[in-house]
Amino acid sequence: MATCDRRSFLQFCGALPFVGRGFGAWAPLADDRVLLVLELVGGNDGLNTVIPVDDARYAALRPQLQAVRKGAHRLADGTALHPALGRLRRRLEAGGVAVRHGVGYPGPDRSHFRSRDIWHTADPGLVRVGARTTGWLGRAADLVAARSAGLGAAAVGGLEVPLLLRGRSVTVPSLRRLEDCQWLAPTAAGPIGAEAAVRDLVDAGRGDGARTHAAAVARAAVRLADDLTAAMRRYRPAADYPGTALGRDLQLAARLVVAGFGTRLLHIGFAGFDTHARQLPTHAGLLAQLDAALDAFAQDLAAQGRAERVAVLVHSEFGRRAAENASQGTDHGAAAPVFVLGPVQGGVHGPVPDLQRLDDGDVAATMDFRSVYADGLSWLGLEPEAVLGAAFPGAGLLRPVR
Amino acid sequence: MSDPLAPYEPTPRDPFDLAKVGHLLRRAGFGASLRVRRELVRGGLEAALRHVQPPAAPLPDQALQAAAIAFGDLERVRAFRVWLCLQGVHPLRERASCFWHGHFATSNQKIGDPRAMALQLATFDRLGLGRFDDLLLAMCRDPALLRWLDNDTNTARRPNENFARELFELFTLGRGHYSEADVREAARAFTGWHVRDGAFQFVARLHDAGEKELFGERGAFDGAAIAAAVVRRPESARFLAGRWLQWLVHPEPDPADVEALAVVYERSGRDIGATLACVLRSRLFFSAAAWRSQIKSPAEFVLGTVRLLGATAAPTALAAAMAGLGEAWLEPPSVEGWHGGTAWLSPASWLLRSNFLADLLAGRSGRLRPAPGTWLRGLRSPRDRAKAAVLLLLDGVAGEDVQQGLEAVAHEHAADDDRCAAAVLHAVACTPDYQLG
């Protein structure tokens, strides 16, 4: 196996965007469009988020949970947004939000983990997640990294990098706070042994081991500490974010966008949607948090002049069963609405879920989730087929870029 | 092909040395001081295996456990678990309890009852190395787990499938080895398996006593019958064997090894401790493919560092550090537990690991005793100091570039013993090799 030149060596270890180029050396990026995927983890109850209020079958399926109809915000197509989504409704009326009913995939799986894996990989035929499995946003990050330097993608809020952001060649960082990005080294030397660790394994032809990963991460981490801290200090918030974890995560996302660090792809997970029991207060609380945090984020970006450059895709791994269960909750289901915020074709899209024609007790999908992904990728200026492996018709939720 | 689980036998070319002792202690415990590691090299393989799995080690101190439980707060229960692992009275049991906590991942965030969580962990201490049949039945009656998976609302009139589904998918069989009908039938069998006043209670009037069909057999099964049936499935043996090999050997175990271990497990009468012991003495366990093939979990990184140094530190501070690194005991991120593997280590978490150790070694947090200077005391030259640090933290195994880099760090700080020791140890802890378990 032998030799390889420095460039392919660095590309191999995933550190290319971080190596050999200081932040100051980057030209301003012509392309600053950002896609933020906000994932409602646990399976959001779509039917109680965008409610088919006029459908008598809805009330019959949900004798307890139909209580959310009171105070719900009516939309043009006869459905209504959950009462807790008042700010989102105002933004929808102003043309800043697109809702698409019934997004899912063929052969819905009711396991959280498999369904999340499917959404993350964009592969409904996924057999199992292995060391080389990549996520759709990670594959997009590979394309972004090939075109420009910078922190092309980041996971915000957690420590783990979700499967969705695993690329073939890029090591995507996860960030929680600005302070997390400083390295308290007692010595000026960088991490010792990282170069050789990668080199050894390249030479030995064992590219996917834990040691390679550790070495690539060590080098990416030190660059991250040096460059990001300086860039992110330039940001001044222009909205009052709620003091929730989601508010904090979205503010950090805004900070990354404004820092001009070349960030194009972001992911935030917002957990707690697995509402098997006593759902009404839990679900209302979660949606209220979502409503307040997204509103602050949109307001901040507008004030920073970025409203047209950032799209937010809100989805969940599945919706929930059409019928409520005996615990005043709902069990794992299938298709559900997705939301897109930003430069969208505002309004409600697609047919209202047909509760007369349920698929094994679930809302049937009327749009493949990969069409929504294709929309986002095209809008970013990336080739959807290169990421998704096949062509999917766009969902028409985002406005084409001039 | 030779049996992968055949016992490892030390030879002059493949001796039982410090690297092997370090490997055994990392996987079947949280490491040990250099003094203990050297004693175990001298004592040989059998003595080292008895060290990690001592035949007569008492269960964790019940009085202390009771005190942690009585206070009923999350911090204290966590600190108690950290303290247990730092003690290392029965290293394999302590690790096994961590493993089962990730396997039957229950979070206090939903149930809000640290007492119930502490009792669940005590059950792992008691049964985690016994027969899997007993452990599984205990989990099917565990108040924290039943509430976590909503089985306390599972009734004959309105079954809730959550517990039954995870029982098959995450605890025993894995996906693809049960049908949706099996889930529905098992959910019926667990109706009325509820929690009253913090204890398990079978509520007969809420139980569906009718006939069920599971895995092609019919009968008026209850939860215990389901648990007894599922442990006998061959898929369950393979599923568990795979999980154990991921923990002890390699993140992506060879299917043939999984198959071989499943047989060992079945033949042992589904005895967890005996099965793990077979792995720990095998050639597979001490193979080159297994050595340093894992990314250390935050617990391994944080607790392991303190133990390798032969030091003590404040358990609450260590528990908080682990939580900050993504492993908050008693609060796994989901019912799937922690994902582990490369997911543990991102650029951001690498910085946090590094910064935690910088603070700990500089005395800024965690009350580390003794202070770092003592470890390199009496060693003057940068070369000796670098070598000593590599012995302490890497069992003496590091590349020439690492040795040279450490010498440079030692040279840079030669004027001050404490700062020099802190800087050199921190630099070792930032190497890629030190991230590996």
Side-chain angles (χ1 to χ4, degrees):
Chain A
M1 278 275 315
T3 56
C4 58
D5 65 358
R6 184 171 169 81
R7 188 183 160 78
S8 60
F9 163 66
L10 293 175
Q11 226 157 17
F12 163 78
C13 74
L16 187 60
F18 298 101
V19 175
R21 291 183 245 189
F23 175 67
W26 295 334
L29 293 163
D31 212 338
D32 61 353
R33 282 166 287 171
V34 180
L35 177 64
L36 164 63
V37 176
L38 173 50
E39 186 187 3
L40 310 179
V41 182
N44 177 42
D45 185 4
L47 281 179
N48 265 27
T49 305
V50 186
I51 311 159
V53 276
D54 291 340
D55 191 331
R57 284 167 302 246
Y58 168 75
L61 286 161
R62 300 193 156 193
Q64 304 280 329
L65 300 183
Q66 59 149 327
V68 289
R69 288 197 294 183
K70 191 160 180 253
H73 310 285
R74 279 204 165 264
L75 304 176
D77 69 349
T79 58
L81 286 184
H82 188 284
L85 297 175
R87 296 182 183 88
L88 222 54
R89 194 269 302 254
R90 277 198 294 282
R91 291 199 174 271
L92 194 146
E93 281 173 351
V97 178
V99 178
R100 179 58 168 85
H101 293 296
V103 179
Y105 55 86
D109 197 295
R110 293 204 185 100
S111 152
H112 289 294
F113 316 109
R114 183 160 154 83
S115 199
R116 261 195 101 187
D117 289 345
I118 286 168
W119 276 85
H120 280 206
T121 55
D123 177 11
L126 180 77
V127 178
R128 65 179 268 281
V129 176
R132 291 167 198 271
T133 307
T134 55
W136 76 279
L137 222 52
R139 296 192 293 271
D142 286 331
L143 297 180
V144 167
R147 289 187 192 182
S148 62
L151 181 70
V156 173
L159 271 166
E160 286 188 6
V161 177
L163 174 59
L164 153 121
L165 275 167
R166 235 190 263 165
R168 286 190 198 94
S169 59
V170 186
T171 302
V172 174
S174 57
L175 304 170
R176 290 190 304 173
R177 300 178 298 251
L178 181 58
E179 302 78 60
D180 294 343
C181 304
Q182 295 153 23
W183 191 36
L184 306 174
T187 173
I192 291 164
E195 292 277 341
V198 177
R199 198 169 49 234
D200 290 353
L201 289 176
V202 173
D203 290 347
R206 298 170 45 206
D208 57 348
R211 191 160 177 251
T212 323
H213 176 76
V217 164
R219 302 191 327 169
V222 176
R223 290 306 290 197
L224 184 70
D226 291 350
D227 295 346
L228 201 53
T229 312
M232 284 168 60
R233 287 204 189 285
R234 289 199 283 272
Y235 163 83
R236 294 282 171 274
D240 281 331
Y241 283 86
T244 56
L246 182 63
R248 200 186 57 220
D249 292 347
L250 279 167
Q251 186 172 6
L252 183 55
R255 192 187 272 278
L256 281 164
V257 168
V258 173
F261 216 73
T263 305
R264 309 280 314 278
L265 306 159
L266 293 164
H267 173 267
I268 292 176
F270 179 33
F273 286 86
D274 195 15
T275 49
H276 284 282
R278 292 175 288 276
Q279 167 179 321
L280 283 174
T282 315
H283 194 234
L286 291 165
L287 292 183
Q289 286 187 42
L290 181 71
D291 190 60
L294 275 176
D295 191 62
F297 182 71
Q299 192 188 329
D300 193 7
L301 289 180
Q304 313 269 2
R306 299 295 185 113
E308 290 291 302
R309 312 304 288 168
V310 180
V312 184
L313 165 62
V314 184
H315 76 77
S316 191
E317 70 263 35
F318 41 57
R320 305 188 77 82
R321 299 271 174 100
E324 67 185 34
N325 65 21
S327 320
Q328 293 149 53
T330 44
D331 296 324
H332 305 175
V338 302
F339 289 73
V340 183
L341 284 77
V344 296
Q345 306 279 13
V348 202
H349 299 246
V352 175
D354 185 350
L355 299 183
Q356 190 122 50
R357 288 203 202 139
L358 292 174
D359 178 5
D360 193 16
D362 284 323
V363 171
T366 52
M367 168 168 280
D368 191 291
F369 69 121
R370 289 164 293 183
S371 282
V372 178
Y373 288 176
D375 226 24
L377 292 164
S378 308
W379 176 80
L380 282 168
L382 301 174
E383 177 55 55
E385 219 173 315
V387 171
L388 302 175
F392 292 90
L397 302 177
L398 282 153
R399 288 200 304 273
V401 183
R402 288 167 277 110
Chain B
M1 215 183 83
S2 64
D3 174 12
L5 293 169
Y8 156 69
E9 278 160 27
T11 63
R13 284 191 56 195
D14 189 21
F16 187 66
D17 56 9
L18 201 59
K20 288 206 169 53
V21 166
H23 175 69
L24 175 65
L25 291 170
R26 274 198 304 279
R27 299 283 170 93
F30 286 98
S33 68
L34 185 56
R35 184 182 58 77
V36 169
R37 281 178 277 155
R38 281 179 162 149
E39 274 171 20
L40 293 178
V41 173
R42 280 194 297 274
L45 175 62
E46 293 305 321
L49 290 170
R50 274 196 305 278
H51 175 88
V52 297
Q53 198 172 5
L59 274 171
D61 188 318
Q62 293 304 306
L64 267 172
Q65 175 122 323
I69 291 170
F71 280 111
D73 76 70
L74 190 62
E75 301 313 310
R76 262 177 257 244
V77 175
R78 265 192 200 140
F80 175 74
R81 301 306 305 184
V82 165
W83 178 83
L84 269 186
C85 296
L86 288 178
Q87 296 302 302
V89 170
H90 191 314
L92 183 65
R93 185 170 64 212
E94 290 141 19
R95 277 304 292 263
S97 291
C98 295
F99 170 85
W100 292 121
H101 179 30
H103 188 86
F104 292 104
T106 306
S107 173
N108 188 60
Q109 275 189 336
K110 174 168 174 182
I111 67 167
D113 185 352
R115 184 178 168 278
M117 293 298 301
L119 290 170
Q120 186 189 73
L121 293 165
T123 301
F124 295 145
D125 293 339
R126 206 156 39 81
L127 302 176
L129 294 176
R131 293 187 71 223
F132 184 69
D133 305 37
D134 300 334
L135 177 64
L136 186 67
L137 184 59
M139 283 302 109
C140 291
R141 302 160 59 103
D142 182 73
L145 191 64
L146 290 174
R147 287 174 52 199
W148 165 240
L149 294 175
D150 302 309
N151 208 65
D152 55 345
T153 62
N154 184 16
T155 63
R157 285 188 53 199
R158 307 284 187 109
N160 185 314
E161 296 173 1
N162 206 16
F163 182 85
R165 181 180 303 282
E166 306 308 8
L167 173 70
F168 293 156
E169 179 178 342
L170 295 175
F171 304 155
T172 58
L173 297 174
R175 288 187 50 78
H177 302 299
Y178 55 89
S179 67
E180 286 294 319
D182 290 331
V183 170
R184 277 196 296 275
E185 295 292 277
R188 290 175 57 211
F190 279 103
T191 50
W193 284 47
H194 285 192
V195 179
R196 292 282 182 280
D197 302 323
F200 170 73
Q201 192 172 51
F202 173 68
V203 187
R205 69 186 165 77
L206 300 177
H207 178 68
D208 177 348
E211 189 182 65
K212 294 116 191 159
E213 181 175 339
L214 185 84
F215 305 135
E217 287 184 40
R218 306 183 71 84
F221 305 130
D222 67 353
I226 302 292
V230 74
V231 296
R232 288 196 300 269
R233 307 288 290 173
E235 294 88 353
S236 164
R238 275 184 223 119
F239 178 76
L240 291 168
R243 295 293 303 263
W244 291 326
L245 289 176
Q246 280 179 335
W247 158 27
L248 290 173
V249 176
H250 192 276
E252 294 192 42
D254 190 312
D257 299 343
V258 174
E259 207 57 51
L261 190 64
V263 171
V264 168
Y265 163 74
E266 289 286 13
R267 286 198 185 137
S268 72
R270 296 189 286 272
D271 184 312
I272 303 158
T275 307
L276 300 185
C278 168
V279 177
L280 292 178
R281 65 166 61 242
S282 68
R283 282 207 291 258
L284 178 68
F285 179 76
F286 288 108
S287 66
W291 190 67
R292 288 187 183 171
S293 63
Q294 318 258 25
I295 298 284
K296 279 179 183 166
S297 69
E300 291 172 282
F301 185 83
V302 170
L303 307 183
T305 302
V306 174
R307 280 189 51 90
L308 290 179
L309 294 173
T312 64
T316 44
L318 300 183
M322 281 164 42
L325 292 170
E327 190 176 359
W329 282 352
L330 281 64
E331 290 180 341
S334 77
V335 66
E336 207 186 11
W338 291 276
H339 291 124
T342 53
W344 282 130
L345 200 63
S346 68
S349 67
W350 186 92
L351 283 172
L352 294 176
R353 284 182 178 205
S354 165
N355 290 348
F356 157 73
L357 274 193
D359 284 341
L360 185 77
L361 291 165
R364 287 192 291 268
S365 72
R367 299 205 304 277
L368 187 72
R369 296 286 179 278
T374 47
W375 290 298
L376 305 184
R377 187 153 289 161
L379 302 170
R380 299 310 322 167
S381 77
R383 184 171 176 72
D384 289 347
R385 288 179 166 184
K387 274 180 78 170
V390 168
L391 267 178
L392 266 173
L393 295 182
L394 291 175
D395 300 313
V397 187
E400 189 53 36
D401 60 317
V402 170
Q403 299 275 1
Q404 282 171 10
L406 294 174
E407 280 178 43
V409 173
H411 188 73
E412 191 181 329
H413 295 274
D416 179 326
D417 279 1
D418 271 345
R419 287 199 39 201
C420 183
V424 174
L425 292 172
H426 184 243
V428 179
C430 289
T431 59
D433 285 333
Y434 194 67
Q435 313 311 315
L436 306 179

